[in-house]
Amino acid sequence: MPLPLPNKQQITVQMNEYPAQYCMPSMQMATDHYSIGYVISGDRHCITPLYCYDYHTGNVCLSPPFILHRTLSGSDIPYKRYLIKFSPEFIQPFCKQVGKNIFEELLNQTIFNFSVDSQKKIERMFREMYEEYQKEMSYREIILQGMLYRLITTIWEDRISGGTTRFSTPLTEPIIEAIALINDKFNSPITLETVAHSIGLSAAYFSRLFHSQLGKPFSDYLCDVRIVHAKTMLIRSSKSIMEIALESGFCNGDYLSTQFKKKTGMTPTAFRKAAGVKNNDNTNR
């Protein structure tokens, strides 16, 4: 369970760093606070029974209490973040003065993207709140409350896009475990049968359960996860298409290219070029 707010505190501000492959070992739920975080570096995947989302460097995430969730590694980049936890009472003046509808709409969106300039501004605001929290002055929470309200307003004004993938059927614990396993082992020769065995279900029953809750077959979901990781490597590295294929779980570069174009409408090389990355790959596609 996420650590609760310290006794008699209405807000905490942290800066945390985790190894790239860190994953929460199980589903957890905060019971006494909202949380809002800024990703300094790294990539994460979050699963809840009702929705899932990915977040990356420069993103902001906002979460309410009483939501079961589990976060997983999204790349080989160490995960570093600012995290602010605050009580429901702490945000009430904002809801009354600015508008409860604004805060609720932000909660529904969950994940937020920004322009490069806005990312710098918002990261600075998180850093200043972290520095203020370290001072441990008697009037610290009054100052932090105003800073939090300004931060939330800025997120509201500057957000470009975001949102979550919502499930038509709430995910059950076996499917959440399966998703966690897929995201952890995507670059290995993982199969429906091996995942079903790992969570104690027959392959046939697991296949039906997975499709009914995710709205797509196991093979499609696994391919989608691998494509997401391939995209990250295409943008952040100069590795060849063959290298990226093998590291993201595809058997070869040709198969990656076929699936990539099917899912995105463009080849990996075209995607890399569109992202503004110089292509040093001499292989085809």
Side-chain angles (χ1 to χ4, degrees):
M1 177 180 295
L3 292 175
L5 291 170
N7 188 33
K8 297 183 179 180
Q9 288 192 29
Q10 297 292 308
I11 184 171
T12 64
V13 187
Q14 309 166 6
M15 183 172 68
N16 312 112
E17 186 167 4
Y18 302 94
Q21 299 308 314
Y22 171 76
C23 297
M24 288 171 56
S26 62
M27 299 290 282
Q28 298 182 5
M29 178 176 66
T31 59
D32 69 340
H33 63 266
Y34 293 92
S35 64
I36 184 169
Y38 178 86
V39 183
I40 301 171
S41 67
D43 306 275
R44 305 293 292 172
H45 181 69
C46 182
I47 311 167
T48 81
L50 299 176
Y51 54 86
C52 69
Y53 56 89
D54 296 296
Y55 50 106
H56 313 278
T57 302
N59 287 167
V60 167
C61 307
L62 179 60
S63 301
F66 303 110
I67 295 292
L68 279 169
H69 66 282
R70 185 175 183 184
T71 64
L72 313 166
S73 171
S75 72
D76 58 359
I77 299 173
Y79 176 47
K80 188 174 182 180
R81 69 175 182 188
Y82 288 111
L83 181 66
I84 302 169
K85 300 178 181 180
F86 55 94
S87 69
E89 294 77 17
F90 203 70
I91 197 65
Q92 284 307 307
F94 176 89
C95 293
K96 290 179 180 179
Q97 296 172 24
V98 181
K100 185 178 180 181
N101 61 313
I102 289 178
F103 187 62
E104 289 181 343
E105 185 170 335
L106 291 176
L107 283 174
N108 288 332
Q109 190 169 335
T110 307
I111 182 77
F112 308 95
N113 304 314
F114 305 92
S115 68
V116 173
D117 288 342
S118 290
Q119 285 181 21
K120 293 177 181 177
K121 177 172 61 175
I122 290 170
E123 181 175 4
R124 183 173 64 251
M125 297 173 77
F126 272 90
R127 182 175 64 251
E128 289 172 350
M129 289 188 68
Y130 176 71
E131 292 169 350
E132 189 66 36
Y133 183 76
Q134 301 304 306
K135 295 178 182 179
E136 299 187 357
M137 305 296 288
S138 60
Y139 49 81
R140 176 180 64 179
E141 288 196 353
I142 297 175
I143 295 174
L144 287 171
Q145 191 170 40
M147 296 175 78
L148 176 65
Y149 294 176
R150 181 56 187 154
L151 173 64
I152 292 173
T153 303
T154 301
I155 292 169
W156 170 262
E157 293 173 345
D158 288 15
R159 73 196 192 286
I160 296 175
S161 61
T164 58
T165 300
R166 306 230 168 223
F167 305 124
S168 57
T169 302
L171 301 186
T172 57
E173 185 65 25
I175 298 303
I176 291 173
E177 287 299 317
I179 291 173
L181 184 60
I182 292 167
N183 279 271
D184 185 42
K185 304 292 186 182
F186 69 92
N187 57 352
S188 65
I190 191 171
T191 66
L192 183 149
E193 288 74 17
T194 58
V195 174
H197 177 75
S198 296
I199 62 175
L201 299 177
S202 71
Y205 178 68
F206 170 66
S207 178
R208 294 193 300 271
L209 190 66
F210 192 95
H211 198 162
S212 67
Q213 294 185 28
L214 272 287
K216 62 178 68 176
F218 172 89
S219 58
D220 280 4
Y221 182 85
L222 175 59
C223 185
D224 288 345
V225 170
R226 288 171 168 170
I227 291 293
V228 167
H229 287 272
K231 285 180 177 179
T232 300
M233 284 187 278
L234 284 165
I235 293 173
R236 293 181 176 172
S237 77
S238 58
K239 293 178 179 179
S240 70
I241 302 303
M242 176 62 77
E243 289 174 314
I244 291 173
L246 296 178
E247 291 184 28
S248 56
F250 293 96
C251 57
N252 55 54
D254 287 339
Y255 188 59
L256 166 61
S257 295
T258 299
Q259 293 301 314
F260 198 97
K261 188 168 184 178
K262 179 180 177 181
K263 298 286 186 180
T264 69
M266 63 177 72
T267 65
T269 300
F271 175 84
R272 175 177 265 170
K273 184 176 180 180
V277 179
K278 185 177 179 180
N279 183 20
N280 295 320
D281 180 28
N282 293 321
T283 63
N284 59 358
R285 297 176 180 80

